[in-house]
Amino acid sequence: MSTATFLNRDEFLKHWQGHRNLTRRTIEKFPAEELFRFSLGGMRTYGEMLKEMLTVSLPGLEGMVDRDDKPFNHDISVSTKDEVLKLWDEQTEKINELYGKIKDEEFYETFNLFGQYRDQNNNNLLYFLENEIHHRAQGYVYLRALGIEPPYFWER
């Protein structure tokens, strides 16, 4: 009988950054002129969803590291695909840096993320990842509706 194993801290960061890479490739496939214009079924544009991703993961991680529970703010000034990609890349590097500042014992400490989501830091990190996966999947639907093949999800 095998025993379930979970990712260690380094494996989790590698996994998370693999997902960030896949989301970046999804952004690259998206037509620039449609990023902040195209939507389906009353959903937000993919550009608006990306603004959310850009204002959750890194700011949330900064809050965890600095013990600052300031509210989130999705209002950032990006309006082009190039601006989104530039900020995405900058945040990816910053995530690597900040993640390394979390001590092992802090993963299980409770933090009030954005002043309203009280949970253990490890669960907050999972939320960042799951939020990105959720919105990337919406981006996949948009790409398919635009007649574009999304990146293969297993190629991170």
Side-chain angles (χ1 to χ4, degrees):
M1 182 162 145
S2 66
T3 303
T5 60
F6 296 93
L7 301 177
N8 67 36
R9 66 178 293 126
D10 294 333
E11 291 167 338
F12 178 82
L13 180 60
K14 182 180 177 185
H15 184 77
W16 185 12
Q17 291 296 17
H19 278 284
R20 288 188 63 82
N21 181 51
L22 182 54
T23 299
R24 189 188 198 290
R25 291 185 23 244
T26 305
I27 299 165
E28 288 172 339
K29 287 230 176 196
F30 219 96
E33 65 278 2
E34 299 292 355
L35 190 63
F36 288 95
R37 189 176 71 170
F38 184 80
S39 70
L40 291 171
M43 292 192 311
R44 295 176 288 168
T45 66
Y46 195 49
E48 290 299 318
M49 292 178 206
L50 288 165
K51 282 184 172 185
E52 178 185 319
M53 287 187 264
L54 288 165
T55 58
V56 167
S57 293
L58 178 63
L61 184 58
E62 287 172 331
M64 287 168 47
V65 169
D66 298 338
R67 307 306 288 172
D68 184 351
D69 64 356
K70 68 181 175 220
F72 59 81
N73 178 4
H74 298 314
D75 187 27
I76 58 172
S77 60
V78 294
S79 58
T80 69
K81 180 176 170 176
D82 288 340
E83 290 172 339
V84 168
L85 286 169
K86 182 177 185 289
L87 187 55
W88 192 266
D89 292 342
E90 290 169 0
Q91 286 195 1
T92 296
E93 289 303 313
K94 188 75 171 168
I95 286 169
N96 286 334
E97 175 189 327
L98 288 174
Y99 184 85
K101 293 182 179 184
I102 302 171
K103 296 178 181 92
D104 287 343
E105 62 273 10
E106 292 174 332
F107 281 91
Y108 298 97
E109 288 180 2
T110 298
F111 176 66
N112 194 21
L113 185 66
F114 301 119
Q116 58 185 336
Y117 304 110
R118 184 172 297 284
D119 206 340
Q120 289 181 335
N121 284 328
N122 60 339
N123 290 327
N124 291 328
L125 290 165
L126 287 171
Y127 169 73
F128 303 154
L129 176 62
E130 291 167 356
N131 184 60
E132 181 180 326
I133 293 168
H134 164 73
H135 288 307
R136 185 178 62 239
Q138 291 172 306
Y140 272 43
V141 170
Y142 283 5
L143 286 173
R144 289 195 184 279
L146 290 165
I148 300 167
E149 182 74 21
Y152 297 119
F153 69 89
W154 57 85
E155 294 178 353
R156 289 185 254 144

